[in-house]
Every structure is written in C-alpha cells, then in structure tokens.
Amino acid sequence: MSIVTVQLGQCGNQIGYELLDVLYNDLSNKGGKCSARENANYQAVCNERFFNEDESGVPLSRSVLIDMEPKVISQTILMAAESGKWKYDHKSQFSQKQGSGNNWANGYFVHGPKHKDLIMDLVRKQVEKCDRLAGFFTIMSMAGGTGSGMGTYVTQCLRDAYPDSFLLNQVIWPYGTGEVIVQNYNSILTLSHLYHSSDAMLVHENDIVHKICSQQMNVKQISFQDVNKVIAHQLGSVLQPAYTSEGATRYSRNPLGELMESLVPHPEFKILGLRNIPQMSEHSLAYSTFTWQGLAKHLRQMLIANAKMEEGINWQVRPPSRPTSERTLHESELLFNTSLANLIILRGQDVQNFPLEGFRDPALYTSWLPPDDACSVWKTPRSFNKYDKSAALVSNSQGLLKPLDAIIGKAWNMFASKAYVHQYTKYGTEEETFLESFTTLEQVIASYSSL
Amino acid sequence: MTQSIVVQVGQCGNQIGCRFWDLVLREHAAINKKGIYDDALCSFFRNVDTRTDDHGVDLQKGKICSLKARAVLIDMEEGVVNEVLQGPLRDLFDSKQLITDVSGSGNNWAVGNKLYGGQYREQIVENFRRTAEHCDCLQCFFVIHSMGGGTGSGLGTFVLNVLEEEFPEVYRFVTSVYPSAEDDVITSPYNSVLAMSELTEHADCVLPIENQSLVDIVKKIQQMANSGKLGSFKPNSLLTSSKGGVNDSEKPFDAMNNIVANLLLNLTSSARFDGSLNMDLNEITMNLVPFPKLHYLTSSLTPLYTLADVHVPSRRLDQMFSDAFSKDHQLIRADPRHNLYLACALMVRGNVQISDLRRNIERLKPSLQFVSWNQEGWKTGLCSVPPVGHTHSLLALANNTCVKPTFIELRDRFHKLYRKKAHLHHYLQVDGMEQSCFTQALSSLSSLIEEYNQLDATKGIPMQTPDRLNIAL
C-alpha cells in the first residue's frame, strides 16, 4: 500500500525533502544488518509505500508539493534531482507567485478555495498511481500562512474527497519565540480545525529538535537543515516498514491505519508525540554500542518523565502508586506523564530481546483502556539509517499539554487586546471563529488533563 | 515571484530612488553573473526588446536585453529628473515613466496635494496602470518622498490615495524622510503634519527616516574609515563612494541617500533571493502592525560598514545584533531600547543560521521591553545572499513607541506656526484647501500620539492575564 505525501509551505517542503531523502537512503542501504531476503522485502515495501518509477526507472516520490510562492518548491525539486538518487515528479507541484504572508486566514479563506480544483487534481493523479492507497501524510508548520491555513484547508478537502482514507498530519510546532509573531493565532486556528478533519496530528516542536541538534547531535551552528534532518529521521523511524503483530510473516501493508488503530482509540485524543533513541552524531555513534535493555530503560523514563530527548531525563519521576484516591501526590508523581496509548517501534538485530514489561505497566495508562490495548509494538530485524539498534515511541499522552496550554495562553492574551485581529477579519476570519477555536482547544486540554 | 513598483516623488524621493536603482542593479550584476533575466531581477525590472519599436516588448526569460526600472518618477520641477535622464541610469527609464512640471510646489503641501493632484490625477493613474500592466503579480508600491517640502509631501501623499483607490490589493510601503528641527523650510511643520494624517490613513506601513540620523551615521562611517585601524576602502563592495558606481562625482547627499537605498535593498532581499527562512513583504505588515494605524516602523542597518566601502575586519557576529538596537544606529532619532516594543523583525542576510538568531534574541530580550500581550513579538527572516562584498548584514525593523517624540516635536513646531496663523494664507488660497484640513490633520496626529501614550502607560505595570475560557466537564 502506498502513502501520498502532501508537502505544504516552506517548512513542509523542506522537511518533505529531507524525509524522502532519509527514506530513500535507508532503503538503498545495502544489507541493513539482516538477511538478504529480509532486506529485499523491506526494500520492496518501502518502495511501494513512497516511490514509483518514471520511464527510465528513476524512483519518483509519491508527493504533491504545494506552496504559494515559487522559490522553495523550485529549490526542493532541484535538490532532489541533483541527488541523482530519486526525484520529484515535476508535474506534481503547485505554486503561485505571492505567499500567504503568515496569515492563516489568507491561506484558508483565499488561497485554499481559489486553487482547490488544481490541487485536488494533482492529488488525484498521485492517488491513481497507487495500486492501493494507505492514506495521506501531510507535512506543514502551524506558524506561517501557507502551511497552516492552506494545510488546514487541504486536509478538509482530502477528508471530503477520500472519506475512507487515513489522514495523518505532521505538524511543526514553532519555536516559542522568534519565528512569526502571529504564530500563536495561526497555531490555534490550525489545531482546532485539524481536530475536526484529521485522524491524528503528529507533533514536532522546533525548540526540542533544536536542543537535540545542539546537545545530542553536537551541531555547533544549527541551521534549519540540521533541524529538518532530525525530524526526518524521527519520521522515517515510524514510517519505514515493520512487522506490526507478533509472528507476522510479512510487513504491514497498512501503516497509517494500524498507527491510528494503536494510538487513537478515542476521537477526543488526537495529538501524538514522538521520541527516538538513540540519537547522536555519526562521530559518537562509531564509538557506541547499545543493548535493548539499556534503550528500553531510557525510553521508558523519557516517556513517564515526559522528556523528549535522552539528554537530561529526570530519573526521579515515577508512576503514582495506585489507588491515588484522596492522598496528595508526591512531587515525583506530579511530574508523571499519563499515557492513553503508546506504540513502540523497534528496528535492529535481536529485537525480541527488548523488554516490554515496563511499557505494559497499567500504572502508565489511563484507567479506561486495558494496558494490552494501550501498548502496541512494531518490529523489524532490519536496522534503520546508520543505527544498528533503534527504538521509536509514538505516544498519545499528556506530553504536549504544556506546550499546547502555553500557545493557547499567549494567543488568548493577545486576543484580549484585539491585537492583529484586523489582519484576520480582512480575509474572513471573524472573532467568532477565534472563540470557537479557543473553545475547541480548551476542551482538548481539559480532556487530556483528566486522563 | 512578485513585482514591486517604486514611486519616487519630489526632489528627495527622486534622489534616493536613483541611488536605489544604482545599488540594486549592481547587486544583481554581482549575483547574476551570466546576465540572465531571472525571477529575482523581474521583481524590480522589465526585460525589454527595444529594437522592435519604441514601446518595447516584454521578454520573459533568457538573456538580458534592455532593463527598464519598474518605477514612476514624479517631480514638479525638472531639475532632478532631467539630471537622471542625462545621467548614466538614463536607459532604465523612458519618458512615459515621468511626470514633471516646471514651476515646483513652493514648499506648500496644498499646492502639491490639491493643485497638482487635481491637475495630474489622470496622468498619474494612467502611468500607474501602464506600469502595473507589465507585472504579472504586483505585490507592493514603494513610495519614496520627503515630508518637509511641497511636492514630496503634498503630491506624494496624493499619490498614496490614488494607489489605494486604484490598487486596493497592492501593499503601500512608504519611505518618508522627516525634516530635522533646524530645517530651512519654514513651512515644513505644516507640510509634515498634513502629510502625516494621510500616511496614517492610507499607508500599509511607513518607514520614517530623519535627515539628522543619516548625517550622524555618515559621520560615523567616515570616522571608522579614517581611524586607520579599521582598514582601507574596498573596491568591490556595493560602493557608496564614487569608485565603481555610475556617478563619477559624488554629491553631498549621496552617502545619506545610499543608506535609505540600502534599507529598501535589504527589505526586499528575502523576497528576491533564496533563504532557509523566507520573509516576504506581506509578512512585514502581518507581523509588525498589530493595529491598523500603528504602522510606523523604525529601522536600523548593521554592521554600518556594509553601508560604505570601508574594508573592516569583521567583528563578532553578535555585535551586529547588539548594534541594531542601539540609539546611534537607528534611521530616526529614537531610542527603542528605552521605549516599548510592540513587535520586532530581524531580517538577516548571508552566512547566519537560525541558531545565531536564537542565541541573540535570547541574549537581547532581557534588555528590551515588549508590550504585555506580545512578549515574544519577534519575527525573523534568513536570506542566503549577503550584501555585495560582505559576509552578512542585518536589518532590524521595530514597531516601537520611540517614534512618539518625533511626532510630538513635529506637533509642537506645527503649533508654533499655527498659533500665529503664520503662512496660512499661502495654503488657504489654493483651491480645495480649507482650514479644516489643518485641524483634522492635527487631531489625527494627536490621536496617533494618544494611542502610543496608552501603550506606554502599560509599561512596567505587571501584566494581568485575562481569564481563560472555562470548560464544563
């Protein structure tokens, strides 16, 4: 089954490129530290998932590139062509001359409806090239205008046109400070609308990824490319083929569907976070060895202490001892991150040695879902992207409560003074729409808080 | 890519405009070695085949044939515009792009705005339409004028109205040169206040420039160059001196006008060239204008040596960011550091990464005061193409209450004249000019100042967070 990737805006297109590059490099990595047969299977499934071939046999990515200005897309297409490995279908792009100007309303109410037909036509052409469609993977940022506004609009169009397909939105959470001043407005409008049309939102926070670059990857002068490469690696570790059930003999054909089935048991909870281990510079990697036990221990503590990277985990945090009843919680328990559902994805030799008990502990989960249902595991003996052993953890947990609460707080604060609101009403986003968005998201916060 | 049209009005506007065309041509020449007419060039230039007929046919791609500036030159005397037409930039313009008269506006806003406005309206509209027709996606008009005289201030703001009526969708960025206190035009306070109310109503964004600040900056650059330890003149940079430039003899205002021209160059660089974090022109207003009338942005350009040809050993990158917030680097006499920020944008060119930006924002933030609802009011852009001959540069734009003293001073000087009704009759004898124009302009300026006052009043008061919505579970 195939996934059609939709890259929107500057951020979406830059990350989309890095993701496909990671996927292709991993796919063409000879051997992959597993049997030849295993590797061949893996390659075939990955190929079908993300690429088709042009007449001369060059892999073409199953992507639709969308931006409201031409510079980023033309550069992205050029970079892929110059890689000499894979290409974008140059017909599968849509760009205009003038960007959305960081204005969600401009993307959503103006550019979206105006270009809907052409864009959905490009999507349909990619869909028709798939033998079977697994769903759509949309990459966008929440901060700007095109990724957020157009991204929201296009997601709704995909939902209408492909009601039975899975929609996973990769959402880039902007830096707390210093990207776009109206990013909090754009973000709440995006998140609240996606909550109605997307199946799940996979979130990457720029601030966290930036820290990973500096503290774990040892990058001195961090560029957007460095940040995007880390995001691409993390996404690749989820999207590459894996065996999704115990004793399965073939790779999962329905990665998005199974992801939703594992992680989104209730429509009120759709925000997913992603943690990876190990992550380090190639230089350090050459001198490191890992055991599944060690990785499991760290990954579990990252989850319960809500650490989004391995560096600086708070080891004091532990699950509250049940029943909590009226007893005041110990400080170390207050910091505890309750999960609704987790998906662990393991790649490398001897994956069966990864100890899962720690992740099946009922204390980690909310009371209304049995831990067996709440914790899923995907595995493959094939290594991924330079790491002999690696583990990814996608979780639907309280982990994003804090950043979400902060964004709503800042946006609400600005909204109370009516600053910048005129820029939105100009394009048809009324104050009422803002209020509805605030309501939707306050509800989401309330739901996650009560897990 | 989008296109912009430069509208230069009056003597000052045309002089700055010409420095801009000189610099922008040289910037593209340095980057575009093959002489291909590309998207970046397209934003300010048409590529025309002049051999076929006089009008010229627009060529879309391929070799540069003959470049024509997307510009409209307006002056009510002939001197400056004639000089342009006889100078080295003459091929950039054809006579259809010019609107001139012979008698000047006599430093009288009413003559420029009411008399010439009425008289030349049709010609102006016609000229804009023709220029706009050559664009496939017109994004912005850059109006350049001065506030003190008659033509720039009067006709310049008339033009602004025409643009709003005829092209409501296209942005209007105005570069306004404010008179110094010891200005030799006696009526400049009248002209400036009358022009201000038009700017407040009809511009999307105004970049106020003060002559005195430009003088100070030029002096500073000269000191740097002359102090010896900072090195020699550099022949290959985007010169402000005569070397390599189109004009052989430097005129007194050239160095000052170059600074303003550089402002426009850096303001548009991210829209013209690639970068890892693009910042289009429409993002400037979106991020920096929280309320419609508060669209006056102070600007600073650093490092200063990028504005000149001095070859200076590059200082620490972080110094460039610190300087951008200091008083002596602002293009108007204002101190943003000790006033209240509503929003701030950093537009960086060259070899600078997001981590450099973040480090400097974190470093500078504690020393700056931001309005309570916009504590994180930073917008950033990264353009990969540096200014010619340099490795990096920064344009900082701030929406800051520090513009207020300039406005108050202007109002005081207006009052001094107006109290005695001095020179009023020169204005009132122009058709369509009434005393109410003065009172309205004055009250518009006062209410603008009042808006800044109200924001300033929130300074230092602990922020009250509004109650969030409650969700019933």
Side-chain angles (χ1 to χ4, degrees):
Chain A
M1 269 187 152
S2 308
I3 297 174
V4 171
T5 308
V6 183
Q7 316 181 167
L8 286 132
Q10 174 160 30
C11 170
N13 278 294
Q14 286 172 343
I15 292 176
Y17 165 80
E18 297 295 345
L19 170 64
L20 286 156
D21 208 51
V22 163
L23 294 173
Y24 187 82
N25 287 336
D26 177 55
L27 148 80
S28 48
N29 178 3
K30 289 202 181 61
K33 308 258 162 75
C34 62
S35 72
R37 205 171 134 223
E38 186 70 61
N39 197 40
N41 275 338
Y42 182 91
Q43 289 178 325
V45 173
C46 171
N47 243 323
E48 187 201 0
R49 212 170 262 186
F50 297 103
F51 300 95
N52 58 67
E53 285 183 0
D54 72 357
E55 313 80 50
S56 52
V58 178
L60 280 183
S61 108
R62 300 184 190 275
S63 308
V64 180
L65 293 78
I66 303 170
D67 203 355
M68 287 300 108
E69 61 98 40
K71 287 190 306 235
V72 176
I73 286 194
S74 58
Q75 213 196 0
T76 307
I77 291 181
L78 185 69
M79 273 160 64
E82 281 177 349
S83 76
K85 295 178 283 194
W86 60 278
K87 290 197 298 197
Y88 281 107
D89 178 352
H90 66 92
K91 292 195 288 285
S92 192
Q93 57 155 320
F94 179 84
S95 69
Q96 288 289 298
K97 293 175 181 295
Q98 177 162 250
S100 305
N102 292 162
N103 192 329
W104 184 89
N106 193 6
Y108 185 83
F109 282 111
V110 182
H111 288 151
K114 189 168 164 197
H115 306 301
K116 177 183 174 184
D117 292 346
L118 284 171
I119 289 170
M120 292 310 284
D121 216 39
L122 293 178
V123 171
R124 185 180 49 81
K125 283 184 184 139
Q126 282 300 337
V127 169
E128 283 169 359
K129 284 191 202 161
C130 307
D131 286 341
R132 283 157 70 213
L133 176 69
F136 298 94
F137 184 58
T138 306
I139 311 174
M140 56 200 261
S141 89
M142 310 195 291
T146 302
S148 73
M150 273 288 267
T152 306
Y153 186 82
V154 168
T155 305
Q156 286 178 0
C157 293
L158 291 172
R159 173 54 76 224
D160 291 343
Y162 304 91
D164 302 323
S165 295
F166 291 102
L167 302 182
L168 177 62
N169 288 69
Q170 164 59 45
V171 175
I172 304 299
W173 204 280
Y175 287 103
T177 298
E179 263 185 272
V180 172
I181 292 176
V182 288
Q183 64 187 23
N184 299 318
Y185 279 166
N186 291 336
S187 298
I188 59 141
L189 291 163
T190 303
L191 287 172
S192 61
H193 282 75
L194 285 182
Y195 231 85
H196 298 301
S197 50
S198 174
D199 287 312
M201 287 159 260
L202 188 54
V203 171
H204 273 100
E205 297 163 83
N206 270 344
D207 278 314
I208 306 282
V209 181
H210 197 94
K211 264 191 207 156
I212 293 178
C213 284
S214 76
Q215 296 179 20
Q216 297 195 188
M217 311 300 285
N218 275 323
V219 185
K220 292 285 170 284
Q221 199 189 17
I222 300 162
S223 67
F224 269 106
Q225 196 183 25
D226 297 317
V227 171
N228 294 342
K229 275 185 192 300
V230 168
I231 296 175
H233 170 79
Q234 296 204 343
L235 288 175
S237 71
V238 175
L239 295 171
Q240 284 292 49
Y243 297 104
T244 53
S245 57
E246 211 54 54
T249 52
R250 32 168 241 169
Y251 280 113
S252 159
R253 290 293 164 103
N254 186 11
L256 294 183
E258 293 193 44
L259 184 111
M260 308 296 175
E261 190 188 314
S262 309
L263 288 165
V264 192
H266 190 296
E268 185 58 27
F269 303 89
K270 288 188 179 180
I271 303 183
L272 311 178
L274 178 50
R275 292 171 175 80
N276 266 69
I277 188 172
Q279 269 187 322
M280 54 178 61
S281 67
E282 264 181 68
H283 182 75
S284 323
L285 191 59
Y287 300 97
S288 310
T289 51
F290 305 100
T291 63
W292 286 117
Q293 273 77 13
L295 293 178
K297 188 174 171 215
H298 282 235
L299 192 59
R300 179 176 189 271
Q301 193 63 24
M302 280 165 75
L303 171 67
I304 63 175
N306 195 20
K308 284 154 188 165
M309 58 180 212
E310 203 184 341
E311 197 75 28
I313 307 175
N314 180 353
W315 286 94
Q316 306 303 315
V317 179
R318 53 188 165 81
S321 37
R322 286 179 196 241
T324 48
S325 63
E326 295 302 306
R327 181 175 71 88
T328 45
L329 288 169
H330 187 264
E331 196 191 340
S332 63
E333 297 170 332
L334 276 173
L335 294 168
F336 173 73
N337 174 34
T338 307
S339 300
L340 177 61
N342 286 311
L343 167 62
I344 304 158
I345 302 163
L346 307 167
R347 301 178 184 276
Q349 283 172 320
D350 309 319
V351 276
Q352 65 281 0
N353 294 343
F354 185 93
L356 285 162
E357 309 77 51
F359 293 90
R360 293 197 165 130
D361 177 356
L364 264 53
Y365 297 94
T366 184
S367 57
W368 49 266
L369 206 63
D372 280 349
D373 292 340
C375 176
S376 320
V377 184
W378 297 358
K379 292 175 190 169
T380 171
R382 192 193 188 269
S383 67
F384 170 67
N385 196 15
K386 296 175 201 133
Y387 295 90
D388 287 354
K389 295 188 181 75
S390 62
L393 173 66
V394 194
S395 45
N396 193 345
S397 73
Q398 295 175 323
L400 286 154
L401 254 180
K402 235 169 131 183
L404 180 62
D405 190 66
I407 266 188
I408 299 174
K410 289 179 201 167
W412 183 247
N413 202 0
M414 195 181 259
F415 186 69
S417 73
K418 297 287 180 279
Y420 296 101
V421 172
H422 74 282
Q423 308 269 21
Y424 290 83
T425 47
K426 191 163 74 182
Y427 293 113
T429 302
E430 301 302 329
E431 286 184 27
E432 195 60 26
T433 313
F434 277 94
L435 284 172
E436 281 164 19
S437 294
F438 281 115
T439 316
T440 303
L441 295 179
E442 294 284 8
Q443 178 66 55
V444 172
I445 293 226
S447 303
Y448 271 103
S449 303
S450 63
L451 273 183
Chain B
M1 214 172 305
T2 58
Q3 294 87 39
S4 298
I5 294 174
V6 176
V7 185
Q8 29 199 81
V9 191
Q11 180 177 352
C12 174
N14 277 293
Q15 280 169 345
I16 293 174
C18 287
R19 298 312 308 143
F20 170 74
W21 292 111
D22 185 16
L23 297 190
V24 74
L25 265 184
R26 281 146 71 190
E27 178 167 277
H28 282 286
I31 291 155
N32 186 341
K33 300 264 192 239
K34 288 186 187 147
I36 301 293
Y37 181 67
D38 57 7
D39 277 348
L41 259 173
C42 176
S43 52
F44 282 117
F45 296 97
R46 295 165 60 204
N47 187 23
V48 178
D49 190 348
T50 44
R51 291 165 305 183
T52 47
D53 63 87
D54 286 349
H55 301 290
V57 178
D58 270 39
L59 303 169
Q60 287 316 319
K61 292 276 154 186
K63 275 273 183 207
I64 292 173
C65 193
S66 171
L67 292 179
K68 293 283 174 203
R70 298 187 194 277
V72 176
L73 284 60
I74 303 174
D75 204 355
M76 292 295 108
E77 2 174 275
E78 294 182 308
V80 179
V81 173
N82 276 345
E83 233 173 84
V84 176
L85 292 184
Q86 283 151 20
L89 292 169
R90 61 182 171 270
D91 290 339
L92 278 182
F93 312 99
D94 64 50
S95 56
K96 290 212 170 75
Q97 291 172 262
L98 318 174
I99 297 172
T100 53
D101 199 297
V102 286
S103 38
S105 306
N107 291 327
N108 186 330
W109 184 88
V111 173
N113 192 276
K114 304 287 179 189
L115 183 71
Y116 287 128
Q119 208 172 321
Y120 283 95
R121 187 177 203 286
E122 264 176 53
Q123 205 183 328
I124 291 171
V125 171
E126 169 64 24
N127 215 313
F128 282 139
R129 284 210 189 125
R130 198 171 42 236
T131 314
E133 273 166 18
H134 291 302
C135 305
D136 61 358
C137 184
L138 174 59
Q139 183 173 32
C140 191
F141 288 104
F142 286 99
V143 179
I144 314 173
H145 74 147
S146 73
M147 302 288 279
T151 306
S153 99
L155 194 53
T157 50
F158 177 81
V159 161
L160 193 61
N161 275 298
V162 171
L163 291 176
E164 188 182 35
E165 277 171 32
E166 298 289 325
F167 305 92
E169 306 284 307
V170 182
Y171 286 90
R172 296 171 300 280
F173 280 36
V174 186
T175 307
S176 304
V177 178
Y178 280 67
S180 307
E182 52 281 351
D183 190 67
D184 50 6
V185 177
I186 290 187
T187 51
S188 78
Y190 282 161
N191 297 333
S192 305
V193 170
L194 288 163
M196 273 287 287
S197 95
E198 301 292 320
L199 293 181
T200 304
E201 290 302 323
H202 305 292
D204 287 302
C205 160
V206 178
L207 303 161
I209 312 282
E210 256 177 286
N211 265 328
Q212 192 53 50
S213 306
L214 299 180
V215 171
D216 295 345
I217 289 174
V218 169
K219 268 190 207 145
K220 244 183 127 160
I221 296 172
Q222 279 165 354
Q223 273 167 12
M224 284 167 78
N226 296 336
S227 67
K229 66 177 176 195
L230 289 174
S232 55
F233 277 86
K234 203 176 183 181
N236 297 323
S237 68
L238 207 52
L239 299 173
T240 51
S241 80
S242 53
K243 289 176 205 163
V246 292
N247 50 338
D248 293 329
S249 58
E250 196 176 342
K251 293 183 209 63
F253 287 111
D254 273 3
M256 287 160 64
N257 291 337
N258 266 316
I259 298 174
V260 186
N262 263 300
L263 165 67
L264 293 177
L265 218 53
N266 290 337
L267 192 70
T268 56
S269 62
S270 188
R272 287 179 290 141
F273 304 115
D274 283 333
S276 63
L277 189 59
N278 290 334
M279 181 159 168
D280 204 0
L281 293 171
N282 53 6
E283 295 172 23
I284 294 173
T285 46
M286 180 70 192
N287 285 282
L288 294 177
V289 183
F291 303 107
K293 288 181 183 173
L294 302 186
H295 55 231
Y296 293 86
L297 308 180
T298 58
S299 46
S300 62
L301 293 156
T302 53
L304 281 184
Y305 55 77
T306 57
L307 301 174
D309 301 315
V310 274
H311 184 70
V312 180
S314 57
R315 301 167 72 188
R316 281 190 315 116
L317 182 65
D318 290 9
Q319 190 63 43
M320 168 174 92
F321 287 93
S322 304
D323 285 347
F325 294 87
S326 90
K327 207 165 77 187
D328 0 310
H329 289 72
Q330 307 301 319
L331 300 195
I332 73 163
R333 281 181 302 155
D335 186 2
R337 225 183 238 286
H338 295 99
N339 286 279
L340 187 68
Y341 274 91
L342 308 186
C344 181
L346 301 177
M347 301 180 74
V348 185
R349 302 183 65 174
N351 180 27
V352 179
Q353 297 299 346
I354 183 71
S355 54
D356 301 317
L357 266 175
R358 304 203 58 70
R359 181 181 66 248
N360 280 290
I361 289 177
E362 289 308 319
R363 186 171 64 84
L364 292 161
K365 218 164 72 170
S367 65
L368 307 170
Q369 281 194 77
F370 274 77
V371 68
S372 67
W373 40 263
N374 210 6
Q375 288 289 308
E376 273 136 5
W378 298 84
K379 163 74 183 167
T380 52
L382 291 169
C383 171
S384 59
V385 177
V388 177
H390 298 281
T391 54
H392 51 256
S393 74
L394 167 67
L395 162 62
L397 294 174
N399 196 339
N400 187 298
T401 57
C402 69
V403 289
K404 196 178 68 178
T406 305
F407 297 163
I408 292 177
E409 193 187 304
L410 200 57
R411 186 174 60 179
D412 292 347
R413 288 171 50 211
F414 177 94
H415 271 305
K416 263 185 209 148
L417 288 180
Y418 194 63
R419 223 177 284 133
K420 297 179 198 145
K421 305 278 184 262
H423 303 285
L424 211 56
H425 63 285
H426 294 301
Y427 289 78
L428 297 178
Q429 71 193 19
V430 176
D431 259 359
M433 191 71 194
E434 283 157 29
Q435 196 146 356
S436 62
C437 299
F438 284 86
T439 47
Q440 276 165 13
L442 189 60
S443 77
S444 154
L445 180 58
S446 291
S447 72
L448 182 69
I449 292 170
E450 185 49 34
E451 281 198 54
Y452 283 110
N453 276 337
Q454 282 173 8
L455 288 162
D456 267 337
T458 66
K459 248 188 337 190
I461 297 173
M463 183 174 78
Q464 287 207 326
T465 24
D467 288 340
R468 296 257 292 261
L469 294 174
N470 271 325
I471 296 296
L473 279 176

